[in-house]
Amino acid sequence: MGIDDPTPSEKPSPSIKIKHVVPLVLDLDQMNFDLWQELFETHCIGSGLDQHLQPLKDKTAASSDWARHDSIVKSWIYSTLSTSLLQMVLKKKMIAYGLWNSLETLFRENKESQAHQLETELRNIAIWDSSVSTYCARIKKIDDQLENLGAPVSDLNLVSHLLSGLSSKFSYIAITIRHTEPFLPS
């Protein structure tokens, strides 16, 4: 057993309900990799299996215990992926690090185009016939996704987008908010 391996009394269990510690489903449409990665990595560190998220340093380290622990980490990863994402990354004989790296690469490569698409969606958002709470929830979801992508929207711009998308029946509210000093509370 290596220095970083769990002791026999601390053996990780494949039956751990990963959804309790990583309650997110990793999905390209949600672009929630950074949140998912933080939760997943924290769980692996706590379980003593974070070395499986790093390149294999020593080929001789791939013992039967190492292989069993690697399979546990892979099963945790697989069980937190959306079906479409699972189909994209599932490959036979891949170690957990290869899977982890594939996911990171996939999300990092899509980051800029996804941010651009979400910024365009935010600029063009309109209330149409939805309720105010549904409209605000859509804006909040886009804002959260942009933040997850490392492209946060300032509060001032967020309020401007929200006001611009309101219908004429809300014009009095939009005018009042636009003329309030300060425009946004600090």
Side-chain angles (χ1 to χ4, degrees):
M1 235 185 253
I3 280 181
D4 293 328
D5 290 339
T7 64
S9 63
E10 300 171 331
K11 284 185 180 178
S13 169
S15 65
I16 284 181
K17 298 207 185 288
I18 192 71
K19 303 272 185 179
H20 290 190
V21 290
V22 183
L24 303 174
V25 172
L26 184 61
D27 191 335
L28 268 173
D29 292 335
Q30 295 298 313
M31 290 305 287
N32 56 354
F33 180 76
D34 291 331
L35 295 171
W36 175 87
Q37 181 185 40
E38 176 63 23
L39 292 171
F40 196 91
E41 201 167 29
T42 299
H43 176 65
C44 286
I45 290 168
S47 299
L49 296 176
D50 54 308
Q51 70 273 12
H52 292 275
L53 304 179
Q54 301 160 6
L56 186 58
K57 293 177 183 142
D58 182 4
K59 295 292 181 193
T60 60
S63 66
S64 63
D65 274 346
W66 184 92
R68 187 176 73 77
H69 293 154
D70 199 65
S71 291
I72 290 170
V73 173
K74 279 180 19 182
S75 70
W76 289 343
I77 293 172
Y78 287 147
S79 67
T80 59
L81 303 181
S82 68
T83 303
S84 60
L85 190 54
L86 177 62
Q87 291 170 346
M88 290 173 73
V89 298
L90 186 63
K91 292 186 176 90
K92 289 183 179 186
K93 307 285 185 195
M94 185 180 279
I95 64 172
Y97 169 72
L99 177 57
W100 180 259
N101 194 45
S102 293
L103 288 167
E104 184 166 27
T105 300
L106 185 63
F107 276 85
R108 298 291 179 228
E109 287 177 354
N110 282 324
K111 211 172 190 181
E112 284 184 32
S113 65
Q114 186 71 19
H116 178 69
Q117 180 182 356
L118 287 167
E119 287 166 351
T120 301
E121 186 177 340
L122 187 58
R123 274 191 307 275
N124 296 322
I125 198 160
I127 194 166
W128 303 115
D129 58 356
S130 62
S131 70
V132 172
S133 62
T134 301
Y135 174 63
C136 290
R138 283 186 8 235
I139 290 173
K140 174 75 170 120
K141 181 179 177 182
I142 294 169
D143 180 49
D144 290 345
Q145 289 174 319
L146 284 165
E147 178 121 4
N148 291 341
L149 291 168
V153 179
S154 72
D155 289 342
L156 183 62
N157 285 337
L158 201 57
V159 171
S160 292
H161 292 305
L162 181 136
L163 295 175
S164 296
L166 290 174
S167 64
S168 60
K169 79 178 189 180
F170 296 103
S171 61
Y172 65 95
I173 293 172
I175 290 169
T176 303
I177 292 172
R178 282 191 177 106
H179 291 93
T180 301
E181 286 295 327
F183 182 57
L184 289 175
S186 47

